[in-house]
Structure formats: C-alpha cells, structure tokens
Amino acid sequence: MENSKGKQFLSTLTAGVIGSMLTLGVVANTDLLTAKTQGATATETATGNYEVQPTSVKSAASLSDMVEQASGAIVGVVNYQKMGNRFAQDSQSIEAGAGSGVIYQIDGDEALIVTNNHVIEGADNVEVVLNDGEKTTAEIIGKDALSDLAVLKIDAKYAKAVLEFGDSDSLRAGDQVIAIGNPLGLDFSGTVTQGIVSAVNRSIDVKTSAGVWEMNVIQTDAAINPGNSGGALLNTDGKVVGINSLKIAENGVEGLGFAIPSNELIPLLEEMVEHGQVERAYIGIGLADLADVPAMYIQNLPESVEGGVLVTSVDPSSAAGKAGLRQQDVITAINGTEIKNSVELRKFLYSKLSVGDKAKFTIYRGNAKQSVELTLTSTSAREG
C-alpha cells in the first residue's frame, strides 16, 4: 500500500512542469552636468593659471545619438499560438505574449536575433516587429530553456542596424547602463530607461520549463516590466553587455532586475546556430529535492543522509535506465562530489561533465548505500 502511494506521489510530482514567468528590465543614462552654449570660450580662474572649460551640449547629444542608433537593432517579438483543436481546419493563432529581441548579426541574406526562450516558448508562429513598425515572420533556429536564450532568423533586408557585444566581465558595480525594450508590450516599444550595475556575478535559482537552474546574472536597479524580456542591456559605448531576462516581483521589492551576461551567452548562441540546441549531458531521470519529499516516502533512509535528490521517474532507454537506476532511489553524490538538491545535480552534470563521460552515482536504495556507473548521452534541455 505504501509503495502504491509512493508511486502515485512520484507520478504527480513528475507530471508537474513549471514554466518560468520571466520578464526583462531596462536602463538608460543621463548626463547630470548642466551644459552651456557650444560657442562659449575657456576662461582663466582668478586663483590659478589653469583653464576651466564649460560643459557643452555635445555629451548629452552623443548619448541620444547612441540610443537612436542602437534602437534600430531592437525589435519586438510576438508569440502566436493556435487555439482549440490543432487539427481543425479553422483553428486560428492568437497572440500569446510579446517580448523584445536584439539583431546581433547579419550573415549574407539572413539576420540573427537573440531573445529569451520564454518569449517564444510554445509558439506556433513568431512575428518580429521592427523599429519602424514593419513586420515579418521569424524562424526559430535554436533555443535553450535552461539558459533562457533563443535565436531567431529573419530576412536581412529587414535589418536596419546591428548591435555588437561588449565585454560583460569588465563591468563593475556602479557602472551606468542603458537598456531599450518593449515594456508592457508593443504599445511602449523602444522605451529607454536608465540604471546602474547593482552587482555582477549574482547566482539566482530560476524555474524554467526544463527544471530549476542556477543562473549567473548581472543585477541592475532598472525598472522591470513584462514585455521587456530579450532586450539589450547596453554600456555607455552602445555595446550589448547583457540580455535582460528576469526580475524579482514581490510586494515591497523594487529595482531588482537581472540580465544574462554577454560573455556567457555568446558561446551558447554560436552552439544554437550550429546545432539548433545546446548540447548537454543527459542521464534520463525525473528529479525531486529530498527536502520537498514527505518523510513517509523516505522513512528507510539513514538519518546521516542530510540532502540529496529523489529519482521520481526513469526513462528505460536512457543511460540511467540501462545502468539500473530505479524510481525512489536517492542520489547523494556524483563522482565523489556531494549533491544536496536538483540544482546542484544539474549544475554538476552540465558544468563538470560532457557527453560520453562516465559518471559514478552514489545512491541509497532504501537504507542500502550503492554505486551506479553510467555513460552520459546527449539531449538539448530535458530534465536530469
């Protein structure tokens, strides 16, 4: 009876796929110096022989010029999904959501756009709206749920501008940043806002359709609104240092927005363009954090086990299935490294191991400690 209840619990747990509701933030810079006329001449102070030069309007104008030029590479991305029976002849697609994107490359007669995966996830059709209001259909050529990135392709004739990537590793807390996007949808397209880098190298747990993932991000104090996802976080040189992706949305919380660093996303974009996905090691199991499992289902586990991951399902044809991993096994270590939860398991699996590697899993089956060795196969963004 207990075994039946356990399987029912595991089946329910496995079926729950939590999609992320991520949004984006925007930031812009203003020159706080009061400018005098362009024709003003330098004057000498009464107490020294050095010159004091009045600030001209050129600084403010150059920022506006940069924003104007960069805006041509910021696009709207509209997710259309079919409603009702997908096989019905009269099924219609409706707008399921909208976000932002950045044209970052022109290759021959094709232009490439980076956006967030959650912006285009589940789309039957994707439409790109250019800065001047012109619209065109886009093709999804690569996507990755864990990194929350996707690459779209449009005809190069629609690309009026391209933005270069900057060095996100050079950012410091306090640096001014600028962002352009479409907060609250296309009615506010091209919105420019300002902020600073609040922190670099933040690690936050993000719920995605491929599971919980620990994401390395740039924190900014920019105002965050739905629809800005996929927009560019720019440095003052007009280069993309991040793709705005998410916010912390809780009562009483303000100015906590996050962007994916450019230095991390560039190799992922290249892999998606080449393979259509990010190749990651795959073992073929469903996961649940031990801390989230009711005690009655793990009552035989030794008290010395303080953390781990419960196997909720096993793909029989996967590496895990072939190696003999079973439902209700508890994974506590991989290659001798302690694993306390599913985030740590995925981080180790995707960061430390590659397709074709052998991995030794330390598990508990009831109260018996065992080792299971398997050879990792490949998948794009499947759980486990």
Side-chain angles (χ1 to χ4, degrees), residues 36 40-46 48-54:
K36 295 187 179 180
T41 58
T43 58
E44 185 176 278
T45 67
N49 58 5
Y50 57 87
E51 293 182 345
V52 177
Q53 187 80 32

PDB file of all heavy atoms in Angstrom, residues 36 40-46 48-54:
ATOM      1  N   LYS A  36      26.413  74.593 -21.109  1.00  0.00           N
ATOM      2  CA  LYS A  36      26.292  75.960 -21.621  1.00  0.00           C
ATOM      3  C   LYS A  36      26.324  75.901 -23.137  1.00  0.00           C
ATOM      4  O   LYS A  36      26.309  74.848 -23.736  1.00  0.00           O
ATOM      5  CB  LYS A  36      27.428  76.822 -21.074  1.00  0.00           C
ATOM      6  CG  LYS A  36      27.344  77.002 -19.545  1.00  0.00           C
ATOM      7  CD  LYS A  36      28.384  77.987 -19.062  1.00  0.00           C
ATOM      8  CE  LYS A  36      28.291  78.180 -17.549  1.00  0.00           C
ATOM      9  NZ  LYS A  36      29.290  79.138 -17.047  1.00  0.00           N
ATOM     10  N   ALA A  40      30.851  78.897 -26.164  1.00  0.00           N
ATOM     11  CA  ALA A  40      31.499  79.513 -25.015  1.00  0.00           C
ATOM     12  C   ALA A  40      32.994  79.283 -25.048  1.00  0.00           C
ATOM     13  O   ALA A  40      33.472  78.243 -25.466  1.00  0.00           O
ATOM     14  CB  ALA A  40      30.910  78.947 -23.731  1.00  0.00           C
ATOM     15  N   THR A  41      33.774  80.262 -24.589  1.00  0.00           N
ATOM     16  CA  THR A  41      35.229  80.159 -24.612  1.00  0.00           C
ATOM     17  C   THR A  41      35.746  79.815 -23.239  1.00  0.00           C
ATOM     18  O   THR A  41      35.100  80.045 -22.225  1.00  0.00           O
ATOM     19  CB  THR A  41      35.853  81.492 -25.068  1.00  0.00           C
ATOM     20  OG1 THR A  41      35.424  82.511 -24.177  1.00  0.00           O
ATOM     21  CG2 THR A  41      35.406  81.833 -26.483  1.00  0.00           C
ATOM     22  N   ALA A  42      36.966  79.257 -23.210  1.00  0.00           N
ATOM     23  CA  ALA A  42      37.585  78.895 -21.948  1.00  0.00           C
ATOM     24  C   ALA A  42      37.968  80.160 -21.193  1.00  0.00           C
ATOM     25  O   ALA A  42      38.330  81.182 -21.770  1.00  0.00           O
ATOM     26  CB  ALA A  42      38.820  78.041 -22.216  1.00  0.00           C
ATOM     27  N   THR A  43      37.904  80.125 -19.867  1.00  0.00           N
ATOM     28  CA  THR A  43      38.265  81.277 -19.040  1.00  0.00           C
ATOM     29  C   THR A  43      39.311  80.861 -18.036  1.00  0.00           C
ATOM     30  O   THR A  43      39.447  79.702 -17.673  1.00  0.00           O
ATOM     31  CB  THR A  43      37.037  81.807 -18.291  1.00  0.00           C
ATOM     32  OG1 THR A  43      36.503  80.754 -17.481  1.00  0.00           O
ATOM     33  CG2 THR A  43      35.963  82.278 -19.253  1.00  0.00           C
ATOM     34  N   GLU A  44      40.072  81.806 -17.536  1.00  0.00           N
ATOM     35  CA  GLU A  44      41.104  81.552 -16.552  1.00  0.00           C
ATOM     36  C   GLU A  44      40.591  81.933 -15.184  1.00  0.00           C
ATOM     37  O   GLU A  44      39.950  82.966 -15.023  1.00  0.00           O
ATOM     38  CB  GLU A  44      42.359  82.366 -16.906  1.00  0.00           C
ATOM     39  CG  GLU A  44      43.540  82.069 -15.999  1.00  0.00           C
ATOM     40  CD  GLU A  44      44.776  82.821 -16.444  1.00  0.00           C
ATOM     41  OE1 GLU A  44      45.453  82.356 -17.365  1.00  0.00           O
ATOM     42  OE2 GLU A  44      45.056  83.875 -15.864  1.00  0.00           O
ATOM     43  N   THR A  45      40.838  81.114 -14.180  1.00  0.00           N
ATOM     44  CA  THR A  45      40.354  81.425 -12.847  1.00  0.00           C
ATOM     45  C   THR A  45      41.180  82.530 -12.223  1.00  0.00           C
ATOM     46  O   THR A  45      42.306  82.823 -12.629  1.00  0.00           O
ATOM     47  CB  THR A  45      40.445  80.180 -11.953  1.00  0.00           C
ATOM     48  OG1 THR A  45      41.815  79.864 -11.749  1.00  0.00           O
ATOM     49  CG2 THR A  45      39.739  78.993 -12.575  1.00  0.00           C
ATOM     50  N   ALA A  46      40.599  83.140 -11.193  1.00  0.00           N
ATOM     51  CA  ALA A  46      41.280  84.241 -10.518  1.00  0.00           C
ATOM     52  C   ALA A  46      42.376  83.733  -9.589  1.00  0.00           C
ATOM     53  O   ALA A  46      43.228  84.483  -9.153  1.00  0.00           O
ATOM     54  CB  ALA A  46      40.272  85.058  -9.722  1.00  0.00           C
ATOM     55  N   GLY A  48      44.339  80.753 -10.176  1.00  0.00           N
ATOM     56  CA  GLY A  48      45.298  79.838 -10.776  1.00  0.00           C
ATOM     57  C   GLY A  48      45.453  80.088 -12.256  1.00  0.00           C
ATOM     58  O   GLY A  48      44.777  80.943 -12.842  1.00  0.00           O
ATOM     59  N   ASN A  49      46.390  79.377 -12.881  1.00  0.00           N
ATOM     60  CA  ASN A  49      46.635  79.587 -14.297  1.00  0.00           C
ATOM     61  C   ASN A  49      46.105  78.451 -15.169  1.00  0.00           C
ATOM     62  O   ASN A  49      46.505  78.313 -16.300  1.00  0.00           O
ATOM     63  CB  ASN A  49      48.138  79.746 -14.545  1.00  0.00           C
ATOM     64  CG  ASN A  49      48.922  78.534 -14.061  1.00  0.00           C
ATOM     65  OD1 ASN A  49      48.323  77.569 -13.629  1.00  0.00           O
ATOM     66  ND2 ASN A  49      50.242  78.619 -14.152  1.00  0.00           N
ATOM     67  N   TYR A  50      45.219  77.602 -14.594  1.00  0.00           N
ATOM     68  CA  TYR A  50      44.628  76.539 -15.400  1.00  0.00           C
ATOM     69  C   TYR A  50      43.281  77.007 -15.944  1.00  0.00           C
ATOM     70  O   TYR A  50      42.673  77.934 -15.435  1.00  0.00           O
ATOM     71  CB  TYR A  50      44.465  75.255 -14.595  1.00  0.00           C
ATOM     72  CG  TYR A  50      43.635  75.385 -13.341  1.00  0.00           C
ATOM     73  CD1 TYR A  50      42.261  75.245 -13.396  1.00  0.00           C
ATOM     74  CD2 TYR A  50      44.237  75.663 -12.110  1.00  0.00           C
ATOM     75  CE1 TYR A  50      41.491  75.367 -12.252  1.00  0.00           C
ATOM     76  CE2 TYR A  50      43.479  75.795 -10.965  1.00  0.00           C
ATOM     77  CZ  TYR A  50      42.104  75.632 -11.036  1.00  0.00           C
ATOM     78  OH  TYR A  50      41.353  75.759  -9.901  1.00  0.00           O
ATOM     79  N   GLU A  51      42.839  76.341 -17.002  1.00  0.00           N
ATOM     80  CA  GLU A  51      41.620  76.734 -17.685  1.00  0.00           C
ATOM     81  C   GLU A  51      40.434  75.920 -17.202  1.00  0.00           C
ATOM     82  O   GLU A  51      40.554  74.744 -16.897  1.00  0.00           O
ATOM     83  CB  GLU A  51      41.760  76.552 -19.200  1.00  0.00           C
ATOM     84  CG  GLU A  51      42.782  77.500 -19.824  1.00  0.00           C
ATOM     85  CD  GLU A  51      42.863  77.327 -21.328  1.00  0.00           C
ATOM     86  OE1 GLU A  51      42.349  76.298 -21.816  1.00  0.00           O
ATOM     87  OE2 GLU A  51      43.423  78.197 -21.999  1.00  0.00           O
ATOM     88  N   VAL A  52      39.286  76.570 -17.134  1.00  0.00           N
ATOM     89  CA  VAL A  52      38.028  75.904 -16.813  1.00  0.00           C
ATOM     90  C   VAL A  52      37.164  75.936 -18.061  1.00  0.00           C
ATOM     91  O   VAL A  52      36.806  77.004 -18.546  1.00  0.00           O
ATOM     92  CB  VAL A  52      37.305  76.610 -15.645  1.00  0.00           C
ATOM     93  CG1 VAL A  52      35.967  75.923 -15.387  1.00  0.00           C
ATOM     94  CG2 VAL A  52      38.171  76.580 -14.396  1.00  0.00           C
ATOM     95  N   GLN A  53      36.861  74.746 -18.588  1.00  0.00           N
ATOM     96  CA  GLN A  53      36.088  74.640 -19.839  1.00  0.00           C
ATOM     97  C   GLN A  53      34.642  74.338 -19.516  1.00  0.00           C
ATOM     98  O   GLN A  53      34.355  73.342 -18.854  1.00  0.00           O
ATOM     99  CB  GLN A  53      36.657  73.507 -20.699  1.00  0.00           C
ATOM    100  CG  GLN A  53      36.035  73.413 -22.092  1.00  0.00           C
ATOM    101  CD  GLN A  53      36.612  74.428 -23.052  1.00  0.00           C
ATOM    102  OE1 GLN A  53      37.763  74.779 -22.942  1.00  0.00           O
ATOM    103  NE2 GLN A  53      35.804  74.898 -23.970  1.00  0.00           N
ATOM    104  N   PRO A  54      33.695  75.177 -19.948  1.00  0.00           N
ATOM    105  CA  PRO A  54      32.279  74.873 -19.707  1.00  0.00           C
ATOM    106  C   PRO A  54      31.881  73.586 -20.425  1.00  0.00           C
ATOM    107  O   PRO A  54      32.389  73.284 -21.494  1.00  0.00           O
ATOM    108  CB  PRO A  54      31.529  76.077 -20.303  1.00  0.00           C
ATOM    109  CG  PRO A  54      32.564  77.085 -20.634  1.00  0.00           C
ATOM    110  CD  PRO A  54      33.876  76.412 -20.701  1.00  0.00           C
TER     111      PRO A  54
END
